[in-house]
Amino acid sequence: MLAVFERLALDAGRVIMEVFHSKMSVEEKADCSPVTEADRAAEKLILEGLRAEFPDIPCVAEEEASEGIEAPALGRAFFLIDPLDGTKEFVKGNADFTVNIALIRGDVPEIGVVYAPCSGRFFSGRPGRAETIAVGDDLTIAGRRKIAVRDGQMPLTIVASRSHRTPETDAFIRKIEAAEIVSVGSSLKFCLLAAGEADVYPRFSRTMEWDTAAGDAILRAAGGTTKTTDGKPLIYGKRNQAHDADFANPSFIATGRVSGAPLF
């Protein structure tokens, strides 16, 4: 399954970069967020591939959801797909956008890939092993290296959202006296923690499950955690929520191995 994810992510990245280097048209969805032909083409490619390979596993994808296509009964396992996470950065010409594909099993992100086609950074995770993947000029996999979270030393390195910084985030950063704040878009924030390049990712603005699942799977495979602000693990497959839409996440804090800091 992970090999299928990797192939589809690379293929989707190729489609996205064709649009990135062209004169793209940008539309606005019902929630006022942007969408481009790259989002739609990449999602179509990924969904066709997953449904052909794994016809019995339901798919939940961002653009289908935004178009009002009702997600099927999920069962114990399902896929979460964000074909172009960081569309705002993509439209601005920034390089941090990613392709995200994840398997959820029993409310937990179990397998995931995050591919940043502009920079070539590629990460994968499965139970017990997370990797960074080298991508060749022909967009094939040229090598792999195991990664793991690091032991955080005070003061910590924090990754924060470039487009969704909030007063709550700033207050959290002041509380733990961060040494360095790295501003980066999309799900690469999880991957920097997984690769031992940062320690904490606090998120106090709204996200959807397809935004976080793949990066979260990689972080957990690398030895990290993602918890809500009450210290409970972030779960997936949330539907019929009283105060928010299906698949919407609460605030959360993702970490590597951190001790001695008042995170929750």
Side-chain angles (χ1 to χ4, degrees):
M1 182 178 287
L2 186 56
V4 173
F5 283 14
E6 292 171 352
R7 172 176 55 81
L8 292 174
L10 288 169
D11 289 346
R14 182 182 294 107
V15 169
I16 288 168
M17 291 307 294
E18 290 173 358
V19 178
F20 187 70
H21 292 304
S22 67
K23 186 177 180 180
M24 73 180 79
S25 61
V26 183
E27 300 174 30
E28 192 173 90
K29 296 190 284 191
D31 64 358
C32 298
S33 63
V35 62
T36 71
E37 60 264 43
D39 298 81
R40 296 191 174 109
E43 181 166 297
K44 182 175 184 291
L45 183 155
I46 293 167
L47 288 176
E48 287 178 351
L50 291 176
R51 287 166 174 161
E53 292 282 352
F54 311 104
D56 296 328
I57 300 179
C59 296
V60 178
E62 179 181 16
E63 302 313 325
E64 282 196 345
S66 70
E67 292 167 8
I69 298 175
E70 184 73 17
L74 299 181
R76 179 166 172 76
F78 65 98
F79 296 124
L80 276 169
I81 302 101
D82 190 344
L84 204 172
D85 183 35
T87 302
K88 290 181 181 179
E89 304 301 324
F90 177 78
V91 170
K92 293 174 185 175
N94 294 333
D96 289 341
F97 53 87
T98 59
V99 180
N100 298 346
I101 309 172
L103 172 74
I104 308 300
R105 193 188 306 275
D107 302 333
V108 176
E110 186 172 282
I111 300 173
V113 298
V114 171
Y115 175 44
C118 204
S119 66
R121 299 205 77 177
F122 197 4
F123 300 88
S124 73
R126 54 183 169 81
R129 186 175 181 88
E131 296 178 325
T132 182
I133 299 170
V135 179
D137 293 339
D138 58 352
L139 295 185
T140 60
I141 294 174
R144 301 173 180 273
R145 178 174 59 84
K146 184 177 180 180
I147 56 175
V149 298
R150 70 188 184 190
D151 293 319
Q153 302 293 324
M154 297 294 291
L156 302 171
T157 298
I158 291 183
V159 284
S161 176
R162 175 177 288 143
S163 300
H164 303 281
R165 191 74 167 261
T166 66
E168 292 87 352
T169 304
D170 291 335
F172 177 87
I173 291 170
R174 288 193 299 269
K175 181 178 73 171
I176 66 172
E177 301 177 351
E180 181 181 4
I181 302 169
V182 179
S183 182
V184 62
S186 74
S187 52
L188 286 172
K189 293 182 282 291
F190 287 101
C191 298
L192 295 184
L193 269 63
E197 298 175 29
D199 303 301
V200 184
Y201 164 32
R203 183 63 183 244
F204 296 100
S205 57
R206 193 171 188 264
T207 60
M208 303 299 289
E209 292 183 13
W210 45 76
D211 297 319
T212 62
D216 194 1
I218 294 164
L219 176 60
R220 297 188 196 202
T225 61
T226 302
K227 296 182 179 181
T228 58
T229 53
D230 59 1
K232 297 179 180 178
L234 181 64
I235 63 170
Y236 290 79
K238 300 182 292 295
R239 305 183 81 172
N240 302 312
Q241 301 191 86
H243 303 294
D244 212 334
D246 286 359
F247 306 110
N249 286 325
S251 297
F252 62 82
I253 301 169
T255 67
R257 285 189 294 269
V258 175
S259 60
L263 301 182
F264 300 99

